[in-house]
Amino acid sequence: QSALTQPASVSGSPGQSITISCTGISSDVGGYNYVSWYQQYPGKAPKLMIYDVSDRPSGVSNRFSGSKSGNTASLTISGLQAEDEADYYCSSYTSSSTVFGGGTKLTVL
Amino acid sequence: EVQLSESGGGLVQPGGSLRLSCAASGFTFSNYAMSWVRQAPGKGLEWVSGISGSGSSTNYADSVEGRFTISRDNSKNTLYLQMNSLRAEDTAVYYCTKQEGYGAVDYWGQGTLVTVSS
């Protein structure tokens, strides 16, 4: 049950695109198309942004997109906005649990 | 509207016990798997435990296996987490979560803080 690997921080300017990676192993990210991404503001509960690798829940902006290749999943945010500044977490289903990434702090410059 | 409301958090001494409850509403509770996710102060998210809709299947993180027990009462639309032999490293905000599909959490409670300290 080791945590998925995410970069500690990423940054970008308004209007730019950024990508956050999430690396696991064949028994989690690589083995299932069940990767989710969450956005969390300080002091608030996380919010689901992407599920099943690339699906967006109703109400989530289409500026958020997800993909996966092998053992690495990615979250891309296009047209970066100030309100996107937050912590982002990936997670993956496994046969016996759910595993989260360590989190990535996104700074909008 | 889906609502998840946790209760039962607080300050407890190392080695002590605590039971968290989560009252659910706005959806057919018994149809969905539920889980507990925690977040230590200033740290990331950690999945703690999950339970199937019927309650017949449960899973635990290695860090809490043998000390925590997840359960549910579908007649009361309530999820529980019994926490025994608590350690300082169990200090965290504990979130009650509703699962959609395989692993995705589509709703989170507001969280309840558990502090383990002497």
Side-chain angles (χ1 to χ4, degrees):
Chain A
Q1 294 181 349
S2 298
L4 307 177
T5 300
Q6 298 181 232
S9 63
V10 298
S11 62
S13 299
Q16 289 185 331
S17 293
I18 63 95
T19 296
I20 299 172
S21 62
C22 170
T23 301
I25 57 178
S26 59
S27 58
D28 43 56
V29 174
Y32 306 94
N33 288 323
Y34 299 129
V35 175
S36 303
W37 289 91
Y38 303 89
Q39 177 191 64
Q40 186 181 35
Y41 294 114
K44 301 295 186 181
K47 173 187 176 183
L48 180 66
M49 306 301 284
I50 296 288
Y51 67 98
D52 294 353
V53 175
S54 59
D55 290 340
R56 274 188 312 276
S58 174
V60 172
S61 170
N62 59 10
R63 297 186 299 105
F64 292 83
S65 62
S67 62
K68 192 189 86 166
S69 178
N71 294 337
T72 299
S74 298
L75 172 70
T76 297
I77 307 174
S78 60
L80 209 56
Q81 299 179 0
E83 68 202 47
D84 298 331
E85 184 163 296
D87 294 325
Y88 291 84
Y89 295 90
C90 63
S91 76
S92 176
Y93 169 85
T94 79
S95 61
S96 60
S97 68
T98 295
V99 60
F100 282 94
T104 298
K105 180 176 180 58
L106 169 62
T107 300
V108 179
L109 302 171
Chain B
E1 177 192 6
V2 171
Q3 291 193 347
L4 301 171
S5 180
E6 304 95 337
S7 61
L11 175 63
V12 62
Q13 292 188 339
S17 298
L18 214 54
R19 188 176 87 153
L20 305 184
S21 299
C22 171
S25 63
F27 64 103
T28 304
F29 185 66
S30 60
N31 285 355
Y32 292 90
M34 301 288 292
S35 61
W36 290 95
V37 177
R38 69 184 181 184
Q39 187 169 35
K43 302 296 184 182
L45 301 172
E46 180 187 15
W47 176 85
V48 173
S49 181
I51 187 168
S52 61
S54 66
S56 62
S57 177
T58 59
N59 288 293
Y60 299 91
D62 291 344
S63 58
V64 307
E65 180 85 55
R67 300 186 298 122
F68 290 11
T69 302
I70 191 172
S71 63
R72 63 193 296 161
D73 185 337
N74 287 344
S75 68
K76 295 182 178 179
N77 288 353
T78 302
L79 177 71
Y80 303 100
L81 185 67
Q82 177 67 43
M83 304 184 294
N84 298 331
S85 302
L86 283 162
R87 307 166 180 167
E89 54 264 38
D90 294 319
T91 294
V93 172
Y94 284 73
Y95 292 102
C96 167
T97 71
K98 170 183 172 291
Q99 290 197 219
E100 178 62 49
Y102 289 90
V105 171
D106 57 352
Y107 288 95
W108 301 68
Q110 83 284 356
T112 187
L113 177 63
V114 172
T115 302
V116 184
S117 174
S118 56

